[in-house]
């Protein structure tokens, strides 16, 4: 076991699962096609809240300029690259060496300067990493100890910072749509991508974040629209949802 997978929150089986398909990350019609379609709604949600919270002009080309951003479990860099284009100084971490290599090569091909590291949230926190924005997207349902993981991630958020968490709710509806539907019927994801018992309810997640000193500022559901093959924000959080939490200690931004 490498140092990157020796952390308490890391599930080696999950790391191995995603390492095996690392080269697929940037294929919009491949095994991560659903993430490529899901990305626009995630990006819009992040951009809306970051520009409002940090008093940035959303119409600027690089409104995230000067902000330190961490993407935890960055995979092949599907979120890191647009965040860098928006002006953020981006650090992307993932316990899979293969994912990091895939992400690094693609960023170089795009002429983007992104700090990719094959490491864990625990190790980065131990190294003293702190950030204005933390992205924790579709990761928590894959870790061994989500409560401790939430606390570790929260510890790296600067006062006045924002953390975004996207995951799947543990409901009968999510079992039917996200596992039976997405993995077995539609084939959107490889079978076994998710384990329903590891899904996280909004109440559980909110409790963990509040214990870590954060306050949930907003929450939205995300649903697939088969008529136009797109994802959109909805009020229903029974399956996919995203929330944004802020550090209790707000500070003024110029």
């Amino acid at each position: 076991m490498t140092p990157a997978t020796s952390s308490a929150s890391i599930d080696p089986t999950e790391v191995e699962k995603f390492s095996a398909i690392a080269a697929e990350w940037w294929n919009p019609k491949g095994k991560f096609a659903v993430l490529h379609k899901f990305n626009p709604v995630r990006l819009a949600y992040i951009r809306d809240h970051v520009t409002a919270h940090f008093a940035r002009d959303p119409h600027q080309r690089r409104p995230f300029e000067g902000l330190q951003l961490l993407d935890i479990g960055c995979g092949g860099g599907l979120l890191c690259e647009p965040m860098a284009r928006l002006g953020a100084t981006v650090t992307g971490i993932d316990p899979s060496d293969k994912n990091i290599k895939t992400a690094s090569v693609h960023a170089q091909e795009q002429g983007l300067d992104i700090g990719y590291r094959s490491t864990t949230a625990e190790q980065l926190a131990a190294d003293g990493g702190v950030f204005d924005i933390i992205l924790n997207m579709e990761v928590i349902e894959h870790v061994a100890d989500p409560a401790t993981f939430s606390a570790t991630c929260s510890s790296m958020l600067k006062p006045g910072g924002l953390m975004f968490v996207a995951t799947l709710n543990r409901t009968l509806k999510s079992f039917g749509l996200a596992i039976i539907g997405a993995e077995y019927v539609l084939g959107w994801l490889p079978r076994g991508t998710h384990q329903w018992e590891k899904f996280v309810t909004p109440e559980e997640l909110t409790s963990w974040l509040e214990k870590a000193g954060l306050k949930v500022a907003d929450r939205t559901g995300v649903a697939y629209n088969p008529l136009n093959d797109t994802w959109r924000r909805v009020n229903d959080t029974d399956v996919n949802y995203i929330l944004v939490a802020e550090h209790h200690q707000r500070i003024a931004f110029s």
Side-chain angles (χ1 to χ4, degrees):
M1 184 177 291
T2 66
T5 58
S6 62
S7 166
S9 78
I10 296 300
D11 185 334
T13 304
E14 296 289 330
V15 175
E16 183 179 354
K17 180 193 305 178
F18 286 96
S19 293
I21 50 177
E24 288 280 334
W25 279 104
W26 287 98
N27 180 359
K29 295 183 179 179
K31 295 178 180 178
F32 292 106
V34 66
L35 273 183
H36 285 268
K37 293 177 181 178
F38 195 46
N39 235 15
V41 72
R42 299 194 299 178
L43 294 172
Y45 188 79
I46 294 166
R47 181 169 183 153
D48 288 350
H49 282 280
V50 168
T51 53
H53 183 80
F54 292 98
R56 302 297 179 91
D57 182 354
H59 303 294
Q60 286 185 341
R61 189 173 68 88
R62 293 170 62 85
F64 291 11
E65 199 80 57
L67 295 173
Q68 299 285 330
L69 182 145
L70 169 66
D71 185 8
I72 297 170
C74 63
L78 297 189
L79 282 173
C80 287
E81 291 198 8
M83 293 296 106
R85 289 192 173 96
L86 287 171
T89 300
V90 179
T91 298
I93 66 169
D94 198 287
S96 165
D97 288 331
K98 291 182 179 179
N99 284 346
I100 290 299
K101 288 176 182 176
T102 297
S104 298
V105 169
H106 196 273
Q108 289 170 8
E109 291 173 346
Q110 302 300 311
L112 296 172
D113 183 13
I114 298 172
Y116 285 118
R117 293 177 59 182
S118 178
T119 189
T120 64
E122 287 80 4
Q123 186 58 56
L124 191 63
D127 292 343
V130 288
F131 302 88
D132 301 294
I133 305 163
I134 296 177
L135 306 185
N136 200 333
M137 314 295 277
E138 287 77 41
V139 174
I140 197 168
E141 70 270 21
H142 297 289
V143 304
D145 185 346
T148 301
F149 176 74
S150 297
T152 299
C153 297
S154 300
S155 73
M156 292 187 282
L157 194 63
K158 291 181 182 179
L162 293 179
M163 181 158 72
F164 295 84
V165 186
T167 189
L168 288 146
N169 199 348
R170 194 173 62 255
T171 62
L172 289 177
K173 186 175 179 180
S174 72
F175 182 81
L177 293 178
I179 294 185
I180 301 301
E183 296 184 16
Y184 288 84
V185 178
L186 298 173
W188 283 351
L189 297 167
R191 294 185 180 186
T193 296
H194 291 111
Q195 296 173 263
W196 180 80
E197 63 272 15
K198 296 182 78 170
F199 288 0
V200 177
T201 70
E203 293 74 23
E204 289 170 338
L205 182 54
T206 297
S207 173
W208 297 333
L209 294 175
E210 287 180 346
K211 288 178 181 177
L214 306 189
K215 179 181 180 182
V216 174
D218 186 68
R219 184 173 74 196
T220 185
V222 184
Y224 177 69
N225 184 346
L227 296 178
N228 58 11
D229 192 26
T230 61
W231 291 79
R232 58 191 173 89
R233 298 183 209 178
V234 294
N235 292 325
D236 183 355
T237 60
D238 284 349
V239 186
N240 294 84
Y241 66 96
I242 309 173
L243 61 76
V244 56
E246 61 185 44
H247 198 293
H248 276 173
Q249 185 180 343
R250 287 297 302 270
I251 58 176
F253 296 95
S254 58

